[in-house]
Amino acid sequence: MFELVFTRRFSMAHRLLSGDSERCALPHGHNEYIRAHLRATNPTALDGHANMVMPFQRAKGVWHGFIDNHVDHALQLAENDPLLAWFAGNEPQRARRILVTPGDPTTELLACLLMAKLNAFLAADGGALTCASIEIEETPTNTVRYSGDPLAVLPQPRTAPHCWWRRADTTISDT
């Protein structure tokens, strides 16, 4: 079976408040690579003419625009992080650049949220492709790969249809 694999790089900042690491509790950043593996939902033989599952530009266009224009250089914060209220009160124009997550914005959680978002984009484009797996390289030595249904492992009850990662729009927050 063919897989279309797309890689994108983005810079981000986050902080993790629930763990034991004081280093990670302070806002800090990473330059990450995200690699999406797409598969045909109904695989068929090549047609003898175009011989492709889907043109690359169509398959990756919305996704790359979303990563480049909304995820890149976004601050990732948990929905209960007090910095959200600070931004809302002091710099509301920047609050839209905050990617808000259900709990700490770990690489594992981000992989599932972004896989769900990519699947929403693909479904809105007719559903010919689905994301089979996604990898996020947080550092050159730390990578998370997820395959399966991302909604099955996301914190409950945050899998409701209205969540930003379930919508085929460019939002990164429900606040």
Side-chain angles (χ1 to χ4, degrees), residues 51-101:
N51 291 322
M52 63 180 75
V53 176
M54 180 183 287
F56 282 146
Q57 188 56 41
R58 178 176 168 194
K60 69 182 181 181
V62 172
W63 175 245
H64 282 191
F66 173 69
I67 296 295
D68 292 349
N69 299 317
H70 301 280
V71 176
D72 186 39
H73 283 80
L75 174 60
Q76 300 173 8
L77 297 174
E79 62 193 358
N80 64 345
D81 192 308
L83 284 179
L84 285 174
W86 186 90
F87 274 100
N90 295 285
E91 296 185 30
Q93 74 280 10
R94 291 195 171 101
R96 65 179 182 79
R97 296 286 303 143
I98 300 174
L99 188 150
V100 180
T101 63

XYZ file of all heavy atoms in Angstrom, residues 51-101:
415
model
N -1.403 7.878 -12.479
C -0.634 6.961 -11.631
C -0.249 7.529 -10.272
O 0.888 7.426 -9.834
C 0.618 6.470 -12.368
C 0.269 5.549 -13.511
O -0.646 4.740 -13.396
N 0.976 5.693 -14.609
N -1.225 8.114 -9.615
C -0.972 8.616 -8.263
C -2.230 8.489 -7.428
O -3.337 8.455 -7.959
C -0.477 10.058 -8.288
C -1.456 11.066 -8.852
S -0.833 12.762 -8.856
C 0.317 12.726 -10.218
N -2.032 8.413 -6.122
C -3.157 8.348 -5.207
C -3.898 9.677 -5.230
O -5.116 9.735 -5.327
C -2.670 8.010 -3.780
C -3.812 8.036 -2.781
C -1.961 6.670 -3.771
N -3.125 10.756 -5.154
C -3.648 12.122 -5.207
C -2.454 13.027 -5.485
O -1.359 12.746 -5.008
C -4.292 12.503 -3.868
C -4.859 13.913 -3.824
S -5.533 14.353 -2.199
C -7.024 13.368 -2.187
N -2.632 14.107 -6.215
C -1.507 15.020 -6.413
C -0.975 15.530 -5.062
O -1.756 15.870 -4.164
C -2.104 16.167 -7.223
C -3.291 15.568 -7.914
C -3.818 14.538 -6.959
N 0.348 15.539 -4.919
C 0.960 15.968 -3.670
C 0.452 17.330 -3.216
O 0.155 17.527 -2.041
C 2.486 16.036 -3.797
C 3.170 14.700 -3.724
C 4.307 14.464 -4.459
C 2.698 13.679 -2.904
C 4.960 13.250 -4.396
C 3.340 12.462 -2.831
C 4.486 12.241 -3.577
N 0.377 18.273 -4.132
C -0.032 19.630 -3.738
C -1.415 19.645 -3.102
O -1.642 20.331 -2.124
C 0.026 20.594 -4.928
C -0.186 22.038 -4.551
C 0.809 22.507 -3.482
O 1.985 22.184 -3.510
N 0.320 23.260 -2.511
N -2.317 18.874 -3.649
C -3.658 18.806 -3.060
C -3.615 18.125 -1.690
O -4.234 18.585 -0.731
C -4.616 18.059 -3.984
C -5.998 17.926 -3.391
C -6.953 17.267 -4.337
N -8.185 16.905 -3.643
C -9.082 16.092 -4.137
N -8.924 15.573 -5.348
N -10.161 15.803 -3.451
N -2.878 17.030 -1.583
C -2.832 16.259 -0.340
C -2.192 17.046 0.804
O -2.600 16.912 1.947
C -2.075 14.952 -0.567
N -1.223 17.880 0.502
C -0.497 18.561 1.573
C -0.790 20.049 1.684
O -0.399 20.670 2.680
C 1.012 18.363 1.405
C 1.600 19.092 0.204
C 3.079 18.817 0.077
C 3.652 19.573 -1.108
N 5.082 19.317 -1.277
N -1.472 20.638 0.728
C -1.631 22.088 0.673
C -2.235 22.713 1.922
O -1.648 23.617 2.529
N -3.399 22.271 2.339
C -4.063 22.848 3.517
C -3.247 22.559 4.768
O -3.057 23.427 5.621
C -5.509 22.302 3.656
C -6.137 22.730 4.969
C -6.359 22.766 2.481
N -2.725 21.349 4.875
C -1.946 20.945 6.045
C -0.704 21.825 6.209
O -0.427 22.335 7.286
C -1.572 19.481 5.912
C -0.667 18.956 6.982
C 0.609 18.497 6.813
C -0.950 18.821 8.369
N 1.125 18.088 8.014
C 0.183 18.274 8.987
C -2.058 19.106 9.166
C 0.256 18.000 10.349
C -1.993 18.840 10.526
C -0.852 18.302 11.100
N 0.046 21.994 5.141
C 1.255 22.818 5.235
C 0.918 24.268 5.556
O 1.622 24.909 6.349
C 2.065 22.713 3.948
C 2.851 21.445 3.864
N 3.808 21.226 2.914
C 2.825 20.314 4.621
C 4.346 20.025 3.081
N 3.747 19.457 4.103
N -0.147 24.788 4.984
C -0.576 26.149 5.324
C -0.955 26.270 6.788
O -0.643 27.266 7.445
N -1.629 25.266 7.321
C -2.015 25.266 8.735
C -0.770 25.255 9.627
O -0.663 26.038 10.569
C -2.902 24.048 9.021
C -3.218 23.864 10.473
C -4.043 24.752 11.150
C -2.695 22.790 11.178
C -4.336 24.577 12.502
C -2.978 22.601 12.520
C -3.799 23.503 13.183
N 0.170 24.369 9.343
C 1.399 24.300 10.140
C 2.167 25.611 10.033
O 2.566 26.207 11.042
C 2.279 23.096 9.728
C 1.561 21.769 10.015
C 3.641 23.160 10.414
C 1.292 21.473 11.477
N 2.362 26.108 8.823
C 3.171 27.322 8.606
C 2.542 28.572 9.203
O 3.248 29.428 9.742
C 3.391 27.558 7.110
C 4.275 26.506 6.470
O 4.903 25.705 7.190
O 4.335 26.487 5.225
N 1.242 28.707 9.102
C 0.584 29.963 9.475
C -0.084 29.966 10.838
O -0.486 31.033 11.313
C -0.445 30.335 8.400
C 0.204 30.535 7.052
O 1.250 31.157 6.943
N -0.385 29.966 6.023
N -0.230 28.792 11.463
C -0.950 28.748 12.735
C -0.198 28.002 13.842
O -0.261 28.408 14.995
C -2.345 28.150 12.526
C -3.134 28.937 11.543
N -3.785 30.103 11.872
C -3.327 28.765 10.214
C -4.357 30.604 10.797
N -4.096 29.813 9.781
N 0.500 26.937 13.499
C 1.228 26.154 14.503
C 2.645 26.694 14.690
O 3.142 26.762 15.812
C 1.237 24.654 14.125
C 2.062 23.847 15.111
C -0.195 24.121 14.064
N 3.288 27.095 13.602
C 4.653 27.617 13.694
C 4.688 28.877 14.551
O 3.898 29.793 14.350
C 5.190 27.922 12.295
C 6.649 28.336 12.297
O 7.441 27.755 13.061
O 7.001 29.254 11.532
N 5.566 28.904 15.502
C 5.759 30.014 16.442
C 4.552 30.265 17.343
O 4.408 31.344 17.902
C 6.188 31.300 15.723
C 7.624 31.280 15.336
N 8.070 30.610 14.224
C 8.707 31.808 15.931
C 9.382 30.745 14.137
N 9.810 31.459 15.171
N 3.704 29.267 17.504
C 2.603 29.379 18.463
C 3.110 28.962 19.838
O 3.980 28.107 19.965
C 1.427 28.493 18.049
N 2.543 29.569 20.847
C 2.782 29.173 22.225
C 1.749 28.108 22.572
O 0.557 28.302 22.335
C 2.638 30.381 23.153
C 2.718 30.134 24.658
C 4.059 29.511 25.051
C 2.478 31.440 25.411
N 2.187 26.986 23.112
C 1.284 25.893 23.466
C 1.093 25.889 24.984
O 2.062 25.778 25.732
C 1.868 24.558 23.009
C 2.098 24.483 21.513
C 2.836 23.226 21.105
O 3.052 22.323 21.905
N 3.221 23.164 19.843
N -0.171 26.022 25.409
C -0.487 26.048 26.831
C -1.686 25.155 27.133
O -2.594 25.029 26.303
C -0.822 27.471 27.293
C 0.283 28.518 27.199
C -0.259 29.896 27.564
C 1.472 28.151 28.080
N -1.704 24.593 28.332
C -2.859 23.817 28.792
C -4.036 24.752 29.015
O -3.857 25.931 29.351
C -2.514 23.076 30.087
N -5.237 24.239 28.855
C -6.439 25.062 28.990
C -6.609 25.650 30.385
O -7.336 26.634 30.552
C -7.679 24.278 28.573
C -7.941 23.051 29.416
C -8.989 22.131 28.801
O -9.554 22.449 27.742
O -9.226 21.077 29.404
N -5.917 25.101 31.383
C -6.007 25.650 32.740
C -4.756 26.437 33.142
O -4.592 26.783 34.307
C -6.273 24.530 33.749
C -5.132 23.529 33.811
O -4.276 23.494 32.930
N -5.130 22.701 34.833
N -3.876 26.732 32.193
C -2.655 27.474 32.491
C -3.006 28.935 32.786
O -3.714 29.572 32.006
C -1.692 27.408 31.298
C -0.301 27.907 31.620
O -0.177 29.033 32.152
O 0.665 27.181 31.336
N -2.524 29.501 33.906
C -2.838 30.900 34.240
C -2.305 31.912 33.226
O -2.790 33.041 33.185
C -2.207 31.108 35.615
C -1.437 29.897 35.934
C -1.769 28.830 34.948
N -1.353 31.514 32.396
C -0.872 32.436 31.368
C -1.957 32.771 30.345
O -1.924 33.841 29.737
C 0.356 31.867 30.659
C 1.672 31.937 31.412
C 2.796 31.297 30.588
C 2.025 33.363 31.778
N -2.930 31.876 30.142
C -4.030 32.171 29.207
C -4.802 33.405 29.664
O -5.107 34.287 28.855
C -4.978 30.977 29.079
C -4.482 29.803 28.261
C -5.462 28.649 28.345
C -4.251 30.210 26.827
N -5.110 33.468 30.943
C -5.828 34.641 31.469
C -4.962 35.884 31.369
O -5.465 36.977 31.074
C -6.251 34.387 32.919
N -3.663 35.725 31.589
C -2.769 36.880 31.477
C -2.798 37.432 30.061
O -2.942 38.639 29.856
C -1.338 36.504 31.874
C -0.456 37.716 31.894
C -0.230 38.541 32.949
C 0.249 38.272 30.783
N 0.592 39.577 32.570
C 0.902 39.436 31.236
C 0.397 37.909 29.449
C 1.691 40.232 30.418
C 1.185 38.702 28.626
C 1.817 39.843 29.099
N -2.672 36.566 29.066
C -2.706 37.027 27.676
C -4.062 37.647 27.337
O -4.128 38.677 26.672
C -2.375 35.898 26.704
C -0.909 35.724 26.464
C -0.202 34.738 27.118
C -0.221 36.558 25.596
C 1.153 34.576 26.917
C 1.135 36.409 25.376
C 1.832 35.418 26.043
N -5.144 37.034 27.788
C -6.482 37.575 27.509
C -6.631 38.982 28.080
O -7.228 39.846 27.451
C -7.554 36.646 28.076
N -6.057 39.230 29.253
C -6.190 40.533 29.889
C -5.169 41.554 29.456
O -5.451 42.753 29.445
N -3.981 41.114 29.077
C -2.893 42.043 28.793
C -2.489 42.142 27.328
O -2.025 43.192 26.897
C -1.660 41.662 29.627
C -1.909 41.830 31.096
O -1.928 42.938 31.595
N -2.128 40.725 31.787
N -2.601 41.073 26.606
C -2.229 41.061 25.187
C -3.230 40.232 24.393
O -2.878 39.218 23.790
C -0.808 40.512 25.010
C 0.262 41.371 25.658
C 1.667 40.877 25.365
O 1.901 40.289 24.287
O 2.545 41.091 26.221
N -4.501 40.644 24.384
C -5.526 39.823 23.726
C -5.261 39.606 22.233
O -5.676 38.593 21.681
C -6.821 40.607 23.968
C -6.387 41.988 24.308
C -5.034 41.881 24.934
N -4.573 40.520 21.593
C -4.273 40.362 20.165
C -3.317 39.189 19.926
O -3.264 38.656 18.832
C -3.708 41.663 19.586
C -2.272 41.977 19.976
C -2.078 42.584 21.365
O -2.998 42.638 22.174
N -0.864 43.028 21.632
N -2.574 38.789 20.948
C -1.650 37.662 20.805
C -2.273 36.344 21.267
O -1.722 35.280 21.002
C -0.360 37.941 21.571
C 0.438 39.050 20.924
C 1.856 39.103 21.421
N 2.604 40.052 20.613
C 2.884 41.292 20.998
N 2.516 41.718 22.188
N 3.547 42.090 20.201
N -3.383 36.403 21.936
C -4.014 35.193 22.467
C -4.393 34.214 21.350
O -4.377 33.006 21.560
C -5.239 35.555 23.304
N -4.698 34.712 20.172
C -5.068 33.819 19.065
C -3.899 32.970 18.578
O -4.080 32.001 17.861
C -5.670 34.604 17.906
C -4.699 35.543 17.244
C -5.321 36.299 16.067
N -4.341 37.142 15.443
C -3.408 36.718 14.601
N -3.353 35.457 14.249
N -2.536 37.565 14.074
N -2.679 33.329 18.977
C -1.486 32.563 18.598
C -1.137 31.491 19.641
O -0.063 30.930 19.614
C -0.282 33.496 18.414
C -0.424 34.491 17.290
C -0.280 33.876 15.911
N 0.993 33.206 15.820
C 1.181 32.068 15.154
N 0.188 31.501 14.536
N 2.358 31.507 15.114
N -2.056 31.255 20.562
C -1.815 30.244 21.586
C -2.598 28.978 21.235
O -3.812 29.013 21.079
C -2.214 30.758 22.983
C -1.382 31.999 23.334
C -2.032 29.658 24.025
C -1.800 32.675 24.628
N -1.874 27.886 21.090
C -2.471 26.584 20.829
C -2.832 26.005 22.197
O -1.956 25.781 23.021
C -1.464 25.693 20.095
C -1.962 24.361 19.572
C -1.174 23.972 18.324
C -1.868 23.271 20.606
N -4.121 25.819 22.426
C -4.622 25.422 23.748
C -4.945 23.931 23.749
O -5.662 23.439 22.874
C -5.859 26.257 24.145
C -6.374 25.848 25.510
C -5.515 27.748 24.129
N -4.406 23.240 24.769
C -4.534 21.791 24.843
C -5.270 21.348 26.115
O -5.246 22.055 27.119
C -3.145 21.125 24.820
O -2.403 21.532 25.967
C -2.382 21.474 23.559
